[in-house]
Amino acid sequence: MLDLAGLDGTYERIRADRGVLTRTVGALRAGEWQGLNVTMPLKAAAAELADLLSPQAELSHSVNTLVLDGDTVVGHSTDSTAFRVLLQSDRFADISSILLLGAGGSAAAAMAAIGGQRQVYVCSRRPESAENLTSALGGAVVTWGTAVAGSLVINTTPLGMNREALPGDVLSVAGGFIDLPYGNAPTPAMVEAGGLGLPRADGHEFLILQAIESFRLWTGVKTDYSALRRAIRNV
């Protein structure tokens, strides 16, 4: 993205636990970094470490982007931004119900983007996590593997990263599909969704949409989606 924007700089990967994240946020606050991305399972921890949260990050208590504004570390959920772009697209705008697989930070970001405007069913392998999410942000809990006819299925779990299938027949009666896992080949669920003719978005599309917003928050520059998609395909 730096090359595409004509900017000098580096984007480095840091393997982190809560302690490493705490120290790295301290380094950001000291001006050693311009911004940070945070991946699961540390998005809730990032929200706690930020000095200030954007409205969607505060609603979801999930932060994947940290920005230094003066001497203030601001936490954002560009995951929510990506979800909002997808939900408003022609592919998914007319689907009135959502089946959300997972109940972690990405699921909370999706709920923040939905904003109570559609019926949401939350399905998690940990029912207590689904209960906590719906009690905070609304929606109804359904058991793992439950299919909801006509729904937009959003997979926020890692299922698919290692070629795993989604539970039950959740795609067989779905109205659309958004799949966050990504890799060198389409996930089994994306292949199935394609065979069913469902409108769909893969993890690469989601990754690019949230990255565009993160990069804009850090640099003020909005990069081109198509150029980034081509760059990913050539990696």
Side-chain angles (χ1 to χ4, degrees), residues 192-204:
E192 181 183 356
L196 292 168
L198 296 178
R200 57 200 181 276
D202 66 9
H204 285 125

Side-chain angles (χ1 to χ4, degrees), residues 9-226:
T10 60
Y11 184 86
E12 300 179 21
R13 182 168 58 181
I14 301 171
R15 186 178 296 275
D17 55 15
R18 175 63 185 256
V20 171
L21 177 62
T22 299
R23 293 191 294 274
T24 307
V25 171
L28 171 65
R29 187 175 283 108
E32 297 177 28
W33 300 94
Q34 187 165 342
L36 300 173
N37 270 149
V38 181
T39 60
M40 59 181 182
L42 293 173
K43 294 178 182 181
E48 295 171 3
L49 292 167
D51 301 320
L52 180 68
L53 297 177
S54 70
Q56 286 192 317
E58 186 168 10
L59 184 61
S60 64
H61 200 69
S62 173
V63 163
N64 74 315
T65 301
L66 292 161
V67 181
L68 186 64
D69 183 5
D71 58 0
T72 301
V73 174
V74 183
H76 296 266
S77 175
T78 68
D79 287 342
S80 281
T81 302
F83 278 122
R84 188 169 65 250
V85 171
L86 289 173
L87 291 169
Q88 292 174 352
S89 71
D90 291 342
R91 284 168 288 176
F92 308 122
D94 293 333
I95 301 177
S96 61
S97 63
I98 292 173
L99 176 60
L100 192 59
L101 305 183
S106 295
M111 293 287 281
I114 295 162
Q117 297 180 12
R118 309 191 200 196
Q119 176 62 54
V120 180
Y121 302 92
V122 180
C123 177
S124 174
R125 287 170 288 188
R126 298 190 302 274
E128 67 279 4
S129 296
E131 293 285 356
N132 290 338
L133 180 61
T134 56
S135 65
L137 295 174
V141 176
V142 295
T143 57
W144 184 246
T146 298
V148 178
S151 66
L152 170 59
V153 177
I154 303 178
N155 177 30
T156 70
T157 77
L159 288 175
M161 292 289 285
N162 295 307
R163 316 302 299 163
E164 307 96 336
L166 296 184
D169 297 319
V170 295
L171 291 180
S172 64
V173 296
F177 183 45
I178 298 174
D179 198 22
L180 266 58
Y182 58 89
N184 295 328
T187 65
M190 280 298 294
V191 173
E192 181 183 356
L196 292 168
L198 296 178
R200 57 200 181 276
D202 66 9
H204 285 125
E205 182 174 356
F206 184 86
L207 177 69
I208 292 168
L209 289 172
Q210 65 83 24
I212 286 172
E213 179 63 6
S214 293
F215 194 75
R216 185 193 67 80
L217 290 167
W218 296 328
T219 67
V221 176
K222 184 173 182 178
T223 46
D224 179 69
Y225 173 88
S226 296

